[in-house]
Amino acid sequence: MGRDHFYDRYYFYSTMASIFLLQSKITATSGFILPSATMLRQKCADFTRGRSVVSYLGRSRWNSVGALSMSTTIRKTDRISTPSPSSPPPMPTMKVNLQTIEKPELKTLLVSWGEKAFRADQIMNWIRVNGAMDFDEMSNLPKGLLRKLKDNAVLGSLEVAEEQLSKDGTIKRLYRLWDGQLIESVLMPYEDGRVTACISSQAGCAMGCVFCATGQMGFARQLTADEIFEQVARFATDIKSGEDKSRRLSNVVMMGMGEPLGNYRNLMAAIARMNGELGIGARKITVSTVGVVPNIRKLIDHPIQVRLAVSLHCAEDKERSELMPANKMYGGLSELMSAVREYTEKTKRRMTFEWALIEGKNDTPEVARQLGNLIKKTWDSQLSGARQRDPPESDWRVRGGASQREEKRGCLREDAKRRVRGQLYTAYAARHRY
């Protein structure tokens, strides 16, 4: 039995147990259809015979390691975000999402409507270049086609519930999904011309990191590949349709809400489209993880060569498990560092370690020495000092002033660099953390 197959079966059966426990927490009026015990046993049997497993929670597809493994770490299940029992969300209407449909599919659809195939190019140009969010803006389309589009299509499935604009140009959006779940996306411009989108991969998160606001929300559901892709496509369109036509979305970091490698299949499907349809280079896409070891190893052989970032935060297992409960689930630091070494040696790609400084916990010279000793075995790594926001109602704080935090970040990096062979570059992986 191979290692991946072992992980698949272990996480699947432990997840089935989690679902049985959740049945006592979610009522029949919550808007979800819960699987029966008989159905779950049948799905277990299907899984062992190698067939795919599809959850019956909402519309989510659960894959063997990614989605299923997330449910095994749900903490405080009573915090899971569910629609109000008094007003369950309506099921989404079956309309074509023009933000996420692929052009060949759109051409086939238009031909089936009796329209010319070239109209697909015009529609895509209105959406991806001009940023049209209303069919009436598509002035070069015949009225008959516009009526068909209004009746059978939508210009995106993500509803902007709130948007904040910073004085430095950063845009933060709160999207409402079809089932009422909320996710966040951030667009971050930099002085050197780069424009980076920080994207969510899940509604909520099951990792339970104590210093992370999203981790304390609990896990709601996986985002579909289309929901992940649409966040990026909307930002790319906004930039193209702006006043400066030379600007483009240059980078994507999967560091928003959720654990990206916990939604592996949908994530990689969305990344393939970012690369192929939006023209974002694979090396310009960074996937951040708390350390989902089986899927780190899957990235090694994946044809799309994305960059990897690991949220390390602690250099010893005891402290890391206290901050990040998922540390124990995936075998601790020894298993994580083994996967990281395998990743760097086989792919020859640089990866990033992320370190959120928490005053009195992991920002001392002693911790920097521990960090240096830990990562010196990885021959080509980056150390990233992430600017961590304090989650609401949390005892975990970065209390010092801005200058003190910057000084501690610098000391941590310099102290660690002196203990690592070779050159250790520094970078900030993301300006905003959730």
Side-chain angles (χ1 to χ4, degrees):
M1 181 184 297
R3 173 163 40 190
D4 284 348
H5 187 58
F6 170 79
Y7 277 120
D8 288 358
R9 295 187 66 181
Y10 172 80
Y11 292 130
F12 179 76
Y13 287 120
S14 57
T15 299
M16 292 299 101
S18 297
I19 294 176
F20 282 121
L21 292 175
L22 285 176
Q23 281 185 296
S24 64
K25 295 290 184 180
I26 305 176
T27 65
T29 58
S30 64
F32 291 113
I33 303 173
L34 287 170
S36 65
T38 302
M39 186 182 298
L40 289 174
R41 282 195 294 270
Q42 180 61 46
K43 290 301 168 185
C44 288
D46 289 352
F47 181 80
T48 58
R49 288 194 290 270
R51 295 206 288 267
S52 63
V53 181
V54 180
S55 79
Y56 289 81
L57 280 175
R59 291 160 50 91
S60 304
R61 172 174 290 275
W62 290 18
N63 58 59
S64 56
V65 174
L68 286 173
S69 65
M70 300 304 298
S71 293
T72 64
T73 60
I74 291 179
R75 300 168 70 245
K76 300 181 181 178
T77 52
D78 55 327
R79 285 192 176 190
I80 291 180
S81 175
T82 60
S84 171
S86 60
S87 56
M91 289 296 290
T93 55
M94 299 303 293
K95 291 189 175 184
V96 178
N97 185 353
L98 296 181
Q99 282 284 355
T100 58
I101 190 173
E102 297 184 40
K103 188 181 289 187
E105 294 178 2
L106 180 56
K107 287 183 177 181
T108 300
L109 177 65
L110 292 175
V111 170
S112 72
W113 289 352
E115 303 290 342
K116 300 295 184 181
F118 76 88
R119 297 295 184 188
D121 296 314
Q122 293 178 315
I123 294 171
M124 284 296 182
N125 187 70
W126 277 110
I127 296 172
R128 296 282 167 82
V129 178
N130 297 314
M133 291 303 293
D134 190 321
F135 289 115
D136 291 331
E137 298 177 32
M138 302 179 181
S139 55
N140 59 350
L141 298 184
K143 292 182 178 179
L145 176 55
L146 286 176
R147 282 196 298 269
K148 294 174 185 176
L149 290 174
K150 291 177 181 179
D151 291 340
N152 300 286
V154 292
L155 291 169
S157 65
L158 306 182
E159 175 192 349
V160 179
E162 186 178 347
E163 182 174 288
Q164 296 177 347
L165 177 62
S166 173
K167 60 183 179 182
D168 66 356
T170 298
I171 299 173
K172 186 174 182 179
R173 283 181 182 164
L174 182 69
Y175 285 117
R176 181 176 290 108
L177 308 181
W178 68 268
D179 57 355
Q181 298 294 339
L182 299 173
I183 60 172
E184 288 182 324
S185 303
V186 182
L187 187 68
M188 301 172 288
Y190 292 89
E191 294 179 355
D192 60 5
R194 288 177 297 124
V195 184
T196 299
C198 183
I199 302 300
S200 295
S201 56
Q202 296 175 328
C205 183
M207 295 293 98
C209 300
V210 299
F211 55 85
C212 176
T214 306
Q216 298 306 300
M217 289 170 55
F219 175 70
R221 70 171 176 88
Q222 305 283 16
L223 298 189
T224 65
D226 281 356
E227 288 169 334
I228 297 172
F229 175 75
E230 186 176 336
Q231 295 173 70
V232 182
R234 296 273 285 268
F235 278 141
T237 297
D238 291 346
I239 296 171
K240 278 187 178 181
S241 60
E243 296 180 359
D244 187 354
K245 301 300 181 182
S246 64
R247 294 179 74 220
R248 59 182 293 272
L249 183 62
S250 58
N251 298 74
V252 173
V253 290
M254 298 304 305
M255 299 180 184
M257 297 175 67
E259 164 55 50
L261 290 187
N263 192 9
Y264 184 84
R265 292 181 184 175
N266 290 340
L267 170 73
M268 299 312 295
I271 286 176
R273 297 190 63 187
M274 296 175 206
N275 180 238
E277 298 178 33
L278 302 181
I280 302 171
R283 298 292 182 92
K284 302 294 185 180
I285 301 173
T286 300
V287 176
S288 176
T289 177
V290 300
V292 182
V293 172
N295 289 344
I296 290 176
R297 290 194 164 100
K298 283 185 179 181
L299 280 180
I300 295 173
D301 299 318
H302 200 281
I304 302 178
Q305 299 181 0
V306 296
R307 300 190 68 172
L308 175 68
V310 174
S311 296
L312 198 59
H313 307 311
C314 291
E316 291 189 352
D317 271 317
K318 181 179 178 181
E319 287 77 9
R320 192 169 193 264
S321 295
E322 181 185 354
L323 290 178
M324 309 169 71
N327 183 55
K328 288 183 178 180
M329 175 179 171
Y330 293 106
L333 283 169
S334 60
E335 188 71 15
L336 174 59
M337 298 308 291
S338 174
V340 166
R341 284 194 296 271
E342 185 178 346
Y343 175 89
T344 56
E345 289 170 0
K346 289 186 177 180
T347 65
K348 309 301 180 185
R349 295 199 292 268
R350 189 183 301 275
M351 54 84 59
T352 302
F353 284 118
E354 300 165 303
W355 192 278
L357 291 175
I358 302 173
E359 187 173 12
K361 290 290 181 181
N362 64 356
D363 63 342
T364 64
E366 180 183 357
V367 173
R369 285 191 289 272
Q370 294 171 357
L371 170 63
N373 291 331
L374 178 65
I375 66 175
K376 69 181 180 182
K377 295 179 182 179
T378 59
W379 55 271
D380 194 12
S381 302
Q382 288 187 0
L383 178 65
S384 170
R387 302 182 179 184
Q388 176 67 37
R389 284 174 44 195
D390 298 330
E393 300 180 3
S394 172
D395 293 331
W396 300 92
R397 301 290 177 188
V398 183
R399 288 194 173 85
S403 60
Q404 291 175 305
R405 292 198 295 270
E406 191 63 40
E407 180 182 358
K408 287 187 175 182
R409 272 193 290 268
C411 291
L412 178 68
R413 291 196 300 268
E414 294 303 319
D415 207 9
K417 280 194 286 185
R418 286 196 294 270
R419 290 165 177 80
V420 181
R421 298 191 194 93
Q423 189 173 11
L424 185 65
Y425 297 93
T426 61
Y428 288 106
R431 192 180 303 174
H432 296 269
R433 305 282 297 177
Y434 300 105

